[in-house]
Amino acid sequence: APGRALAACGWLSSVKCRSPKTRTLTAKPNEVSSFDTDTTDELLITHHPHLVHLNRLCFTRVYAPRPTADIDPLPYYGAGCQLVALSYQPKPCQAVRQNCAFFRSNGGCGYVLKPTALRAPAAAAPQPMTLKLNLIAGLHMPNPTEEELGLYVEVTVAGPTGHQRMATE
């Protein structure tokens, strides 16, 4: 079983990958293929099913073409990529905060189990969910003596297919 083979591997061998479709024929659980973000973005558009299938068989690493480039890791995690190299150098950016939040979901242990749809070929598609938020505090509220302003709450939900921003009325 691939799970046992993956658990038994103690190191990863780097293997070149010209095409995810042909790479799936020979992929082994202890191998890793690296792609820059430009290549991976193209694969997400043109070969998404093959990239997801490759990520079921072996590791893939995504890296920025420049060391200081800010990249959004969520689309790559959403395709099953296991390793996304982020730049923590200049200042904490949105991508770094999203990455920290993503791994905090499993107690900050550095590993998050992929959803079933990315691990099993015949898995059902994820179902939509409803979020209910309770506002418990507010900052920068207007002074009661000032003219009444239209107050609203804005929430951004980040995911592998993009970010959705919503605001109350």
Side-chain angles (χ1 to χ4, degrees):
R4 276 195 214 123
L6 186 58
C9 78
W11 70 92
L12 298 175
S13 301
S14 182
V15 177
K16 281 193 176 194
C17 177
R18 302 258 188 256
S19 162
K21 187 175 182 177
T22 57
R23 177 79 180 92
T24 58
L25 301 173
T26 60
K28 296 178 185 160
N30 67 327
E31 295 175 340
V32 62
S33 294
S34 297
F35 303 101
D36 64 28
T37 53
D38 295 336
T39 302
T40 312
D41 289 342
E42 185 179 322
L43 292 172
L44 287 172
I45 295 167
T46 60
H47 293 90
H48 189 271
H50 300 296
L51 182 60
V52 170
H53 184 61
L54 177 64
N55 289 330
R56 286 186 188 120
L57 303 173
C58 65
F59 283 86
T60 55
R61 179 179 80 97
V62 180
Y63 62 92
R66 297 173 313 285
T68 58
D70 291 335
I71 61 173
D72 181 3
L74 297 181
Y76 309 119
Y77 292 146
C81 297
Q82 295 85 356
L83 307 165
V84 180
L86 298 175
S87 174
Y88 279 69
Q89 296 295 318
K91 60 181 178 174
C93 64
Q94 184 68 18
V96 171
R97 287 191 291 272
Q98 288 174 350
N99 194 63
C100 290
F102 183 75
F103 284 98
R104 201 172 293 135
S105 68
N106 196 17
C109 73
Y111 178 82
V112 175
L113 186 63
K114 289 183 199 179
T116 307
L118 293 174
R119 290 182 279 130
Q127 298 299 312
M129 62 172 41
T130 301
L131 295 176
K132 182 178 178 183
L133 303 174
N134 293 321
L135 184 63
I136 58 171
L139 297 173
H140 308 293
M141 303 294 285
N143 194 337
T145 60
E146 293 178 8
E147 186 178 312
E148 188 175 326
L149 301 173
L151 299 177
Y152 65 94
V153 175
E154 187 174 275
V155 176
T156 302
V157 178
T161 58
H163 307 313
Q164 185 173 14
R165 179 168 282 169
M166 296 160 279
T168 62
E169 295 181 11

mmCIF file of all heavy atoms in Angstrom, residues 60-101:
data_model
loop_
_atom_site.group_PDB
_atom_site.id
_atom_site.type_symbol
_atom_site.label_atom_id
_atom_site.label_comp_id
_atom_site.label_asym_id
_atom_site.label_seq_id
_atom_site.Cartn_x
_atom_site.Cartn_y
_atom_site.Cartn_z
ATOM 1 N N THR A 60 5.640 16.591 -4.366
ATOM 2 C CA THR A 60 6.015 17.698 -5.249
ATOM 3 C C THR A 60 6.333 18.904 -4.385
ATOM 4 O O THR A 60 5.724 19.105 -3.324
ATOM 5 C CB THR A 60 4.900 18.073 -6.254
ATOM 6 O OG1 THR A 60 3.717 18.358 -5.544
ATOM 7 C CG2 THR A 60 4.662 16.962 -7.250
ATOM 8 N N ARG A 61 7.306 19.671 -4.844
ATOM 9 C CA ARG A 61 7.726 20.883 -4.147
ATOM 10 C C ARG A 61 7.532 22.046 -5.093
ATOM 11 O O ARG A 61 7.890 21.966 -6.268
ATOM 12 C CB ARG A 61 9.205 20.783 -3.751
ATOM 13 C CG ARG A 61 9.730 22.016 -3.037
ATOM 14 C CD ARG A 61 11.180 21.860 -2.645
ATOM 15 N NE ARG A 61 12.082 22.113 -3.747
ATOM 16 C CZ ARG A 61 12.696 23.268 -3.968
ATOM 17 N NH1 ARG A 61 12.499 24.290 -3.171
ATOM 18 N NH2 ARG A 61 13.518 23.400 -4.978
ATOM 19 N N VAL A 62 6.959 23.130 -4.598
ATOM 20 C CA VAL A 62 6.751 24.335 -5.388
ATOM 21 C C VAL A 62 7.619 25.433 -4.776
ATOM 22 O O VAL A 62 7.626 25.618 -3.563
ATOM 23 C CB VAL A 62 5.270 24.767 -5.372
ATOM 24 C CG1 VAL A 62 5.063 26.029 -6.190
ATOM 25 C CG2 VAL A 62 4.379 23.642 -5.882
ATOM 26 N N TYR A 63 8.358 26.143 -5.619
ATOM 27 C CA TYR A 63 9.225 27.211 -5.132
ATOM 28 C C TYR A 63 9.064 28.453 -6.003
ATOM 29 O O TYR A 63 8.658 28.380 -7.155
ATOM 30 C CB TYR A 63 10.689 26.759 -5.101
ATOM 31 C CG TYR A 63 11.240 26.409 -6.459
ATOM 32 C CD1 TYR A 63 11.889 27.373 -7.234
ATOM 33 C CD2 TYR A 63 11.103 25.131 -6.981
ATOM 34 C CE1 TYR A 63 12.386 27.060 -8.502
ATOM 35 C CE2 TYR A 63 11.595 24.812 -8.234
ATOM 36 C CZ TYR A 63 12.231 25.788 -8.979
ATOM 37 O OH TYR A 63 12.714 25.472 -10.224
ATOM 38 N N ALA A 64 9.368 29.593 -5.429
ATOM 39 C CA ALA A 64 9.286 30.858 -6.152
ATOM 40 C C ALA A 64 10.506 31.000 -7.057
ATOM 41 O O ALA A 64 11.605 30.575 -6.692
ATOM 42 C CB ALA A 64 9.222 32.019 -5.169
ATOM 43 N N PRO A 65 10.329 31.607 -8.249
ATOM 44 C CA PRO A 65 11.472 31.776 -9.151
ATOM 45 C C PRO A 65 12.516 32.744 -8.593
ATOM 46 O O PRO A 65 13.685 32.665 -8.922
ATOM 47 C CB PRO A 65 10.850 32.311 -10.445
ATOM 48 C CG PRO A 65 9.511 32.826 -10.072
ATOM 49 C CD PRO A 65 9.090 32.100 -8.825
ATOM 50 N N ARG A 66 12.084 33.648 -7.719
ATOM 51 C CA ARG A 66 13.008 34.586 -7.068
ATOM 52 C C ARG A 66 12.901 34.378 -5.560
ATOM 53 O O ARG A 66 11.798 34.175 -5.035
ATOM 54 C CB ARG A 66 12.630 36.031 -7.411
ATOM 55 C CG ARG A 66 12.744 36.357 -8.875
ATOM 56 C CD ARG A 66 12.202 37.764 -9.189
ATOM 57 N NE ARG A 66 10.907 38.104 -8.597
ATOM 58 C CZ ARG A 66 9.738 37.641 -9.020
ATOM 59 N NH1 ARG A 66 9.664 36.799 -10.025
ATOM 60 N NH2 ARG A 66 8.611 38.007 -8.423
ATOM 61 N N PRO A 67 14.006 34.485 -4.835
ATOM 62 C CA PRO A 67 13.971 34.203 -3.389
ATOM 63 C C PRO A 67 13.027 35.111 -2.600
ATOM 64 O O PRO A 67 12.504 34.712 -1.576
ATOM 65 C CB PRO A 67 15.411 34.429 -2.941
ATOM 66 C CG PRO A 67 16.229 34.375 -4.168
ATOM 67 C CD PRO A 67 15.349 34.758 -5.312
ATOM 68 N N THR A 68 12.781 36.327 -3.049
ATOM 69 C CA THR A 68 11.956 37.245 -2.262
ATOM 70 C C THR A 68 10.514 37.321 -2.749
ATOM 71 O O THR A 68 9.735 38.124 -2.255
ATOM 72 C CB THR A 68 12.555 38.660 -2.295
ATOM 73 O OG1 THR A 68 12.656 39.083 -3.658
ATOM 74 C CG2 THR A 68 13.904 38.692 -1.622
ATOM 75 N N ALA A 69 10.136 36.494 -3.706
ATOM 76 C CA ALA A 69 8.777 36.540 -4.247
ATOM 77 C C ALA A 69 7.769 36.014 -3.231
ATOM 78 O O ALA A 69 8.003 35.010 -2.574
ATOM 79 C CB ALA A 69 8.695 35.737 -5.536
ATOM 80 N N ASP A 70 6.660 36.713 -3.097
ATOM 81 C CA ASP A 70 5.568 36.262 -2.237
ATOM 82 C C ASP A 70 4.635 35.396 -3.068
ATOM 83 O O ASP A 70 4.145 35.828 -4.104
ATOM 84 C CB ASP A 70 4.784 37.456 -1.687
ATOM 85 C CG ASP A 70 5.594 38.261 -0.683
ATOM 86 O OD1 ASP A 70 6.505 37.679 -0.070
ATOM 87 O OD2 ASP A 70 5.310 39.455 -0.516
ATOM 88 N N ILE A 71 4.418 34.168 -2.617
ATOM 89 C CA ILE A 71 3.515 33.280 -3.348
ATOM 90 C C ILE A 71 2.401 32.835 -2.417
ATOM 91 O O ILE A 71 2.593 32.693 -1.214
ATOM 92 C CB ILE A 71 4.246 32.062 -3.950
ATOM 93 C CG1 ILE A 71 4.908 31.201 -2.870
ATOM 94 C CG2 ILE A 71 5.276 32.485 -4.964
ATOM 95 C CD1 ILE A 71 5.495 29.914 -3.385
ATOM 96 N N ASP A 72 1.217 32.632 -2.979
ATOM 97 C CA ASP A 72 0.069 32.146 -2.221
ATOM 98 C C ASP A 72 0.126 30.625 -2.219
ATOM 99 O O ASP A 72 -0.011 29.993 -3.264
ATOM 100 C CB ASP A 72 -1.218 32.651 -2.882
ATOM 101 C CG ASP A 72 -2.468 32.217 -2.143
ATOM 102 O OD1 ASP A 72 -2.350 31.562 -1.084
ATOM 103 O OD2 ASP A 72 -3.572 32.543 -2.622
ATOM 104 N N PRO A 73 0.322 29.971 -1.062
ATOM 105 C CA PRO A 73 0.471 28.519 -1.027
ATOM 106 C C PRO A 73 -0.831 27.739 -1.213
ATOM 107 O O PRO A 73 -0.809 26.576 -1.582
ATOM 108 C CB PRO A 73 1.051 28.252 0.357
ATOM 109 C CG PRO A 73 0.532 29.372 1.200
ATOM 110 C CD PRO A 73 0.463 30.565 0.276
ATOM 111 N N LEU A 74 -1.970 28.367 -0.983
ATOM 112 C CA LEU A 74 -3.240 27.637 -0.954
ATOM 113 C C LEU A 74 -3.624 26.958 -2.269
ATOM 114 O O LEU A 74 -4.093 25.821 -2.250
ATOM 115 C CB LEU A 74 -4.361 28.543 -0.453
ATOM 116 C CG LEU A 74 -4.180 29.039 0.993
ATOM 117 C CD1 LEU A 74 -5.350 29.903 1.416
ATOM 118 C CD2 LEU A 74 -3.989 27.889 1.952
ATOM 119 N N PRO A 75 -3.436 27.582 -3.449
ATOM 120 C CA PRO A 75 -3.768 26.857 -4.682
ATOM 121 C C PRO A 75 -2.935 25.580 -4.861
ATOM 122 O O PRO A 75 -3.428 24.575 -5.372
ATOM 123 C CB PRO A 75 -3.465 27.856 -5.800
ATOM 124 C CG PRO A 75 -3.533 29.187 -5.150
ATOM 125 C CD PRO A 75 -3.081 28.971 -3.735
ATOM 126 N N TYR A 76 -1.695 25.610 -4.402
ATOM 127 C CA TYR A 76 -0.815 24.443 -4.544
ATOM 128 C C TYR A 76 -1.218 23.348 -3.555
ATOM 129 O O TYR A 76 -1.237 22.167 -3.902
ATOM 130 C CB TYR A 76 0.648 24.856 -4.368
ATOM 131 C CG TYR A 76 0.999 26.037 -5.240
ATOM 132 C CD1 TYR A 76 1.436 27.235 -4.693
ATOM 133 C CD2 TYR A 76 0.854 25.964 -6.626
ATOM 134 C CE1 TYR A 76 1.731 28.324 -5.498
ATOM 135 C CE2 TYR A 76 1.143 27.047 -7.432
ATOM 136 C CZ TYR A 76 1.577 28.222 -6.865
ATOM 137 O OH TYR A 76 1.857 29.307 -7.667
ATOM 138 N N TYR A 77 -1.534 23.735 -2.312
ATOM 139 C CA TYR A 77 -2.046 22.752 -1.353
ATOM 140 C C TYR A 77 -3.361 22.169 -1.859
ATOM 141 O O TYR A 77 -3.648 20.989 -1.665
ATOM 142 C CB TYR A 77 -2.264 23.384 0.025
ATOM 143 C CG TYR A 77 -0.998 23.790 0.752
ATOM 144 C CD1 TYR A 77 -0.975 24.910 1.566
ATOM 145 C CD2 TYR A 77 0.173 23.057 0.624
ATOM 146 C CE1 TYR A 77 0.170 25.289 2.242
ATOM 147 C CE2 TYR A 77 1.325 23.431 1.295
ATOM 148 C CZ TYR A 77 1.318 24.547 2.104
ATOM 149 O OH TYR A 77 2.452 24.920 2.760
ATOM 150 N N GLY A 78 -4.176 22.992 -2.518
ATOM 151 C CA GLY A 78 -5.455 22.542 -3.050
ATOM 152 C C GLY A 78 -5.327 21.527 -4.168
ATOM 153 O O GLY A 78 -6.263 20.783 -4.445
ATOM 154 N N ALA A 79 -4.158 21.470 -4.818
ATOM 155 C CA ALA A 79 -3.893 20.469 -5.856
ATOM 156 C C ALA A 79 -3.127 19.279 -5.288
ATOM 157 O O ALA A 79 -2.738 18.381 -6.020
ATOM 158 C CB ALA A 79 -3.113 21.086 -7.008
ATOM 159 N N GLY A 80 -2.874 19.296 -3.977
ATOM 160 C CA GLY A 80 -2.196 18.178 -3.336
ATOM 161 C C GLY A 80 -0.690 18.313 -3.216
ATOM 162 O O GLY A 80 -0.035 17.385 -2.741
ATOM 163 N N CYS A 81 -0.107 19.438 -3.643
ATOM 164 C CA CYS A 81 1.341 19.626 -3.505
ATOM 165 C C CYS A 81 1.695 19.624 -2.018
ATOM 166 O O CYS A 81 1.039 20.265 -1.208
ATOM 167 C CB CYS A 81 1.785 20.939 -4.146
ATOM 168 S SG CYS A 81 1.483 21.010 -5.920
ATOM 169 N N GLN A 82 2.743 18.879 -1.679
ATOM 170 C CA GLN A 82 3.075 18.694 -0.267
ATOM 171 C C GLN A 82 3.999 19.760 0.291
ATOM 172 O O GLN A 82 3.953 20.066 1.474
ATOM 173 C CB GLN A 82 3.728 17.323 -0.052
ATOM 174 C CG GLN A 82 2.822 16.167 -0.330
ATOM 175 C CD GLN A 82 2.800 15.768 -1.798
ATOM 176 O OE1 GLN A 82 3.405 16.391 -2.649
ATOM 177 N NE2 GLN A 82 2.065 14.719 -2.106
ATOM 178 N N LEU A 83 4.876 20.307 -0.523
ATOM 179 C CA LEU A 83 5.887 21.252 -0.049
ATOM 180 C C LEU A 83 5.789 22.549 -0.850
ATOM 181 O O LEU A 83 5.889 22.525 -2.074
ATOM 182 C CB LEU A 83 7.290 20.654 -0.216
ATOM 183 C CG LEU A 83 7.508 19.266 0.389
ATOM 184 C CD1 LEU A 83 8.776 18.645 -0.139
ATOM 185 C CD2 LEU A 83 7.544 19.359 1.900
ATOM 186 N N VAL A 84 5.596 23.666 -0.171
ATOM 187 C CA VAL A 84 5.566 24.969 -0.823
ATOM 188 C C VAL A 84 6.581 25.846 -0.102
ATOM 189 O O VAL A 84 6.453 26.093 1.098
ATOM 190 C CB VAL A 84 4.167 25.617 -0.788
ATOM 191 C CG1 VAL A 84 4.185 26.963 -1.486
ATOM 192 C CG2 VAL A 84 3.132 24.700 -1.431
ATOM 193 N N ALA A 85 7.609 26.268 -0.826
ATOM 194 C CA ALA A 85 8.686 27.074 -0.244
ATOM 195 C C ALA A 85 8.257 28.537 -0.211
ATOM 196 O O ALA A 85 7.968 29.129 -1.238
ATOM 197 C CB ALA A 85 9.961 26.906 -1.066
ATOM 198 N N LEU A 86 8.205 29.110 0.988
ATOM 199 C CA LEU A 86 7.819 30.510 1.162
ATOM 200 C C LEU A 86 9.013 31.321 1.640
ATOM 201 O O LEU A 86 9.906 30.794 2.299
ATOM 202 C CB LEU A 86 6.696 30.631 2.192
ATOM 203 C CG LEU A 86 5.388 29.938 1.854
ATOM 204 C CD1 LEU A 86 4.422 30.041 3.025
ATOM 205 C CD2 LEU A 86 4.781 30.535 0.613
ATOM 206 N N SER A 87 8.999 32.605 1.339
ATOM 207 C CA SER A 87 10.054 33.503 1.802
ATOM 208 C C SER A 87 9.594 34.172 3.093
ATOM 209 O O SER A 87 8.613 34.910 3.104
ATOM 210 C CB SER A 87 10.353 34.561 0.736
ATOM 211 O OG SER A 87 11.275 35.493 1.244
ATOM 212 N N TYR A 88 10.305 33.907 4.175
ATOM 213 C CA TYR A 88 9.999 34.533 5.456
ATOM 214 C C TYR A 88 10.897 35.746 5.680
ATOM 215 O O TYR A 88 10.942 36.297 6.753
ATOM 216 C CB TYR A 88 10.212 33.536 6.596
ATOM 217 C CG TYR A 88 9.073 32.579 6.799
ATOM 218 C CD1 TYR A 88 8.781 31.586 5.874
ATOM 219 C CD2 TYR A 88 8.278 32.662 7.927
ATOM 220 C CE1 TYR A 88 7.742 30.708 6.064
ATOM 221 C CE2 TYR A 88 7.223 31.784 8.138
ATOM 222 C CZ TYR A 88 6.964 30.811 7.204
ATOM 223 O OH TYR A 88 5.934 29.936 7.396
ATOM 224 N N GLN A 89 11.668 36.149 4.679
ATOM 225 C CA GLN A 89 12.697 37.163 4.820
ATOM 226 C C GLN A 89 12.215 38.574 5.164
ATOM 227 O O GLN A 89 12.432 39.022 6.266
ATOM 228 C CB GLN A 89 13.570 37.205 3.553
ATOM 229 C CG GLN A 89 14.345 35.938 3.294
ATOM 230 C CD GLN A 89 15.369 35.656 4.355
ATOM 231 O OE1 GLN A 89 16.045 36.556 4.804
ATOM 232 N NE2 GLN A 89 15.474 34.415 4.787
ATOM 233 N N PRO A 90 11.612 39.302 4.215
ATOM 234 C CA PRO A 90 11.416 40.730 4.452
ATOM 235 C C PRO A 90 10.494 41.046 5.627
ATOM 236 O O PRO A 90 10.895 41.660 6.586
ATOM 237 C CB PRO A 90 10.823 41.260 3.151
ATOM 238 C CG PRO A 90 10.685 40.121 2.228
ATOM 239 C CD PRO A 90 11.065 38.883 2.946
ATOM 240 N N LYS A 91 9.250 40.625 5.568
ATOM 241 C CA LYS A 91 8.277 40.865 6.630
ATOM 242 C C LYS A 91 7.175 39.835 6.492
ATOM 243 O O LYS A 91 6.961 39.295 5.407
ATOM 244 C CB LYS A 91 7.708 42.276 6.526
ATOM 245 C CG LYS A 91 7.009 42.522 5.215
ATOM 246 C CD LYS A 91 6.466 43.925 5.116
ATOM 247 C CE LYS A 91 5.829 44.073 3.738
ATOM 248 N NZ LYS A 91 5.155 45.269 3.536
ATOM 249 N N PRO A 92 6.466 39.555 7.568
ATOM 250 C CA PRO A 92 5.364 38.599 7.443
ATOM 251 C C PRO A 92 4.328 39.120 6.443
ATOM 252 O O PRO A 92 3.849 40.229 6.561
ATOM 253 C CB PRO A 92 4.781 38.530 8.850
ATOM 254 C CG PRO A 92 5.856 39.033 9.746
ATOM 255 C CD PRO A 92 6.660 40.005 8.928
ATOM 256 N N CYS A 93 4.027 38.315 5.456
ATOM 257 C CA CYS A 93 3.056 38.717 4.444
ATOM 258 C C CYS A 93 1.818 37.833 4.575
ATOM 259 O O CYS A 93 1.775 36.903 5.386
ATOM 260 C CB CYS A 93 3.662 38.605 3.047
ATOM 261 S SG CYS A 93 4.089 36.925 2.583
ATOM 262 N N GLN A 94 0.828 38.115 3.761
ATOM 263 C CA GLN A 94 -0.431 37.366 3.800
ATOM 264 C C GLN A 94 -0.198 35.869 3.580
ATOM 265 O O GLN A 94 -0.786 35.035 4.255
ATOM 266 C CB GLN A 94 -1.395 37.921 2.745
ATOM 267 C CG GLN A 94 -2.760 37.288 2.773
ATOM 268 C CD GLN A 94 -3.569 37.635 4.018
ATOM 269 O OE1 GLN A 94 -3.277 38.586 4.717
ATOM 270 N NE2 GLN A 94 -4.572 36.836 4.294
ATOM 271 N N ALA A 95 0.693 35.523 2.637
ATOM 272 C CA ALA A 95 0.950 34.108 2.343
ATOM 273 C C ALA A 95 1.540 33.383 3.554
ATOM 274 O O ALA A 95 1.170 32.250 3.847
ATOM 275 C CB ALA A 95 1.892 33.987 1.146
ATOM 276 N N VAL A 96 2.441 34.033 4.266
ATOM 277 C CA VAL A 96 3.050 33.420 5.450
ATOM 278 C C VAL A 96 1.994 33.235 6.539
ATOM 279 O O VAL A 96 1.928 32.188 7.183
ATOM 280 C CB VAL A 96 4.237 34.263 5.958
ATOM 281 C CG1 VAL A 96 4.732 33.771 7.304
ATOM 282 C CG2 VAL A 96 5.372 34.254 4.940
ATOM 283 N N ARG A 97 1.124 34.236 6.722
ATOM 284 C CA ARG A 97 0.061 34.111 7.728
ATOM 285 C C ARG A 97 -0.909 32.985 7.361
ATOM 286 O O ARG A 97 -1.335 32.213 8.214
ATOM 287 C CB ARG A 97 -0.667 35.442 7.883
ATOM 288 C CG ARG A 97 0.159 36.489 8.629
ATOM 289 C CD ARG A 97 -0.670 37.699 8.995
ATOM 290 N NE ARG A 97 -1.069 38.483 7.841
ATOM 291 C CZ ARG A 97 -0.341 39.464 7.298
ATOM 292 N NH1 ARG A 97 0.838 39.763 7.813
ATOM 293 N NH2 ARG A 97 -0.778 40.136 6.256
ATOM 294 N N GLN A 98 -1.252 32.869 6.067
ATOM 295 C CA GLN A 98 -2.141 31.794 5.629
ATOM 296 C C GLN A 98 -1.484 30.434 5.855
ATOM 297 O O GLN A 98 -2.134 29.486 6.283
ATOM 298 C CB GLN A 98 -2.501 31.952 4.159
ATOM 299 C CG GLN A 98 -3.448 33.078 3.886
ATOM 300 C CD GLN A 98 -3.676 33.287 2.401
ATOM 301 O OE1 GLN A 98 -2.991 32.722 1.564
ATOM 302 N NE2 GLN A 98 -4.635 34.121 2.080
ATOM 303 N N ASN A 99 -0.203 30.337 5.560
ATOM 304 C CA ASN A 99 0.521 29.084 5.745
ATOM 305 C C ASN A 99 0.537 28.692 7.231
ATOM 306 O O ASN A 99 0.295 27.542 7.572
ATOM 307 C CB ASN A 99 1.942 29.222 5.203
ATOM 308 C CG ASN A 99 2.626 27.890 5.047
ATOM 309 O OD1 ASN A 99 2.194 27.050 4.276
ATOM 310 N ND2 ASN A 99 3.705 27.697 5.786
ATOM 311 N N CYS A 100 0.796 29.651 8.101
ATOM 312 C CA CYS A 100 0.796 29.369 9.545
ATOM 313 C C CYS A 100 -0.581 28.921 10.003
ATOM 314 O O CYS A 100 -0.707 27.977 10.782
ATOM 315 C CB CYS A 100 1.254 30.600 10.317
ATOM 316 S SG CYS A 100 3.000 30.974 10.108
ATOM 317 N N ALA A 101 -1.632 29.585 9.533
ATOM 318 C CA ALA A 101 -2.995 29.202 9.900
ATOM 319 C C ALA A 101 -3.331 27.811 9.382
ATOM 320 O O ALA A 101 -3.977 27.016 10.084
ATOM 321 C CB ALA A 101 -3.990 30.223 9.354
#
